[in-house]
Amino acid sequence: METIETRPISLRPSAAPARLKPPVSVLDLSLEELRLNLATHGQPTYRAEQVWKGLYGSLAAGTDAVTTLPAPIKSLLNEELPMPVLAPISSTRADDGATHKILFKLYDGRAVESVLMRYEDGRATVCVSSQAGCAMGCVFCATGMGGFDRNLSAGEIVGQILYFARELHAEGRKLTNIVYMGMGEPLANLRAVWRSIENLHEPKGMNFSPRRITVSTVGLVPQIRKFAEYPLPVNLAISLHAADDELRSSMMPVNNRWPVSELVAAAKEYTERTRRRISFEYALIADSNSSVAQARALAALLRGMLCHVNLIRLNKVPGSPLRPPTAEETRAFQRELEAAGIPCTVRLERGADILAACGQLRIEHALAT
Ligand code: SAH
Ligand code: SF4
């Protein structure tokens, strides 16, 4: 494990000013909005497409680096729609360099982390944050322990993705998958999350396939219903982690508001409406949710649904007594689900030695400063 501190910084809340919304950036706008914006400055519509092609298609590092733009337009954009501030303040690599995690400092001193995972078959996945912190308070999650700061703007979300797309581009590789599984609850910031997806999908720019995007939610039922209405075929993952209310409520406070039965009903509705398979995330925790009896209960809950279960062995969080089960217990859990006909995989632990579970790098950094 190699950590490079690129800048000394304090992440204490007192270091951050009270403004809640970042300045509007060029990455917040849709292509149509950018056309209209530039038109109010007397610019022809093709300028917006040049910006778009430069930033999303050719992966220029910023508007200044878009070679097709004349200097006056660059200054206009810098003044009116500056690129979002995403300053890498800590960079950590693991898995022989295949996993790269960055802690970005935002314009107001808040910090979020994103992870790039390269695979041998050529795939490369970015795990992106949707909020600085999280208000959901799941007991096993480092982000939840750190509390909620604010929503990210669409531009701040897109900016994380473009950062890693540029890193891959420099190696002659391409970004193939995006997962909204970093810090924060994406469906609690749905408007910005959706805008970020639309911008990445825009055919005049990156033309990123929505089928290669996964949004993960803690289980906000009304937002799941809303998400099902959206037109692009983005994948949805639900963090279930327990099949009964008593246990799930003890792990995830959100379950007191939308219990397991309501959540699973919303998931079923989602699959029926969209005809798309839903994923359930299940983090296995020793002596808690990982017994064979619990696997049976999970199978009974999901029977007949168009779904897939991702089993994740818990990533240990410093200061928490929770730990993953043994490899044998993990296999027994998986076997039980498979025997019941529920498709499932045990997710590979990437970057476990760099504390890849969301929110951990931020905590480490705050402790060190
Ligand atoms: N807020 C969203 C997305 C971000 S968390 C959600 O909860 O779904 C991404 C995934 O990491 C979720 O499935 C979450 O439950 C899981 N997770 C959080 N902390 C973890 C840990 N310590 N070990 C394993 N998985 C964890
Ligand atoms: Fe928030 Fe997801 Fe962590 Fe729960 S698991 S605290 S919803 S980021």
Side-chain angles (χ1 to χ4, degrees):
M1 157 171 152
E2 166 209 9
T3 299
I4 307 155
E5 295 297 327
T6 43
R7 238 185 250 198
I9 187 189
S10 165
L11 290 178
R12 279 181 281 279
S14 57
R19 262 178 77 181
L20 281 176
K21 275 199 168 169
V24 177
S25 95
V26 63
L27 299 183
D28 287 312
L29 304 192
S30 65
L31 177 55
E32 187 51 27
E33 285 169 352
L34 185 59
R35 280 193 192 111
L36 292 171
N37 189 294
L38 290 178
T40 62
H41 294 281
Q43 293 301 323
T45 54
Y46 71 84
R47 289 285 179 222
E49 288 178 20
Q50 285 177 327
V51 174
W52 212 271
K53 277 188 191 134
L55 292 177
Y56 291 91
S58 311
L59 298 171
T63 42
D64 276 341
V66 179
T67 50
T68 47
L69 292 177
I73 305 225
K74 288 182 184 170
S75 340
L76 176 73
L77 289 169
N78 281 336
E79 266 168 43
E80 301 254 323
L81 298 167
M83 290 287 283
V85 176
L86 283 169
I89 49 174
S90 161
S91 160
T92 315
R93 292 178 193 268
D95 304 320
D96 285 333
T99 303
H100 187 193
K101 181 165 188 162
I102 292 185
L103 184 67
F104 290 108
K105 183 191 160 199
L106 308 174
Y107 87 102
D108 57 357
R110 310 291 194 209
V112 292
E113 45 191 84
S114 336
V115 190
L116 170 66
M117 291 157 283
R118 297 173 183 84
Y119 298 90
E120 275 173 13
D121 61 6
R123 281 178 307 129
T125 300
V126 165
C127 175
V128 70
S129 290
S130 56
Q131 300 181 309
C134 184
M136 296 298 150
C138 305
V139 298
F140 48 81
C141 171
T143 305
M145 289 167 198
F148 177 69
D149 288 334
R150 68 167 169 87
N151 278 334
L152 297 193
S153 65
E156 287 171 328
I157 299 171
V158 170
Q160 296 167 60
I161 295 160
L162 291 183
Y163 184 96
F164 283 119
R166 289 193 287 266
E167 178 168 318
L168 289 166
H169 185 63
E171 301 163 3
R173 294 179 65 131
K174 267 189 102 162
L175 180 63
T176 59
N177 296 77
I178 300 169
V179 294
Y180 287 73
M181 292 189 182
M183 291 167 63
E185 167 51 35
L187 294 196
N189 187 18
L190 188 48
R191 191 198 292 241
V193 163
W194 195 256
R195 168 53 63 86
S196 68
I197 292 170
E198 286 177 325
N199 281 3
L200 295 159
H201 172 57
E202 167 58 52
K204 290 217 152 63
M206 212 175 200
N207 197 16
F208 201 89
S209 167
R211 293 180 198 281
R212 292 176 172 272
I213 298 179
T214 301
V215 171
S216 174
T217 178
V218 71
L220 305 182
V221 165
Q223 303 298 88
I224 292 173
R225 297 219 164 93
K226 219 179 206 180
F227 199 73
E229 310 269 323
Y230 283 6
L232 298 174
V234 174
N235 303 300
L236 183 65
I238 294 182
S239 298
L240 190 58
H241 304 321
D244 71 274
D245 281 325
E246 195 184 343
L247 181 57
R248 193 165 189 271
S249 294
S250 73
M251 295 160 69
M252 306 170 75
V254 72
N255 196 69
N256 292 305
R257 180 71 182 81
W258 292 290
V260 172
S261 56
E262 282 186 43
L263 179 56
V264 169
K268 224 173 230 159
E269 247 175 63
Y270 174 93
T271 58
E272 282 158 11
R273 192 176 186 101
T274 63
R275 306 258 154 242
R276 289 201 298 275
R277 182 181 297 270
I278 210 161
S279 300
F280 289 100
E281 308 287 307
Y282 199 101
L284 290 165
I285 307 173
D287 306 322
S288 166
N289 65 354
S290 54
S291 71
V292 166
Q294 280 153 330
R296 238 172 262 146
L298 179 63
L301 186 68
L302 303 183
R303 188 156 298 136
M305 205 190 298
L306 183 60
C307 72
H308 183 97
V309 175
N310 281 318
L311 298 172
I312 315 144
R313 301 185 68 248
L314 185 81
N315 265 300
K316 278 204 198 160
V317 175
S320 162
L322 302 178
R323 56 191 171 80
T326 62
E328 184 41 48
E329 284 165 325
T330 305
R331 269 196 298 279
F333 196 97
Q334 182 183 19
R335 268 199 304 269
E336 196 63 36
L337 285 185
E338 282 169 350
I342 308 282
C344 69
T345 35
V346 179
R347 192 172 311 134
L348 272 178
E349 288 164 277
R350 289 297 296 259
D353 63 330
I354 57 162
L355 305 172
C358 62
Q360 298 191 359
L361 196 58
R362 184 178 70 146
I363 287 183
E364 292 284 292
H365 199 92
L367 290 175
T369 52

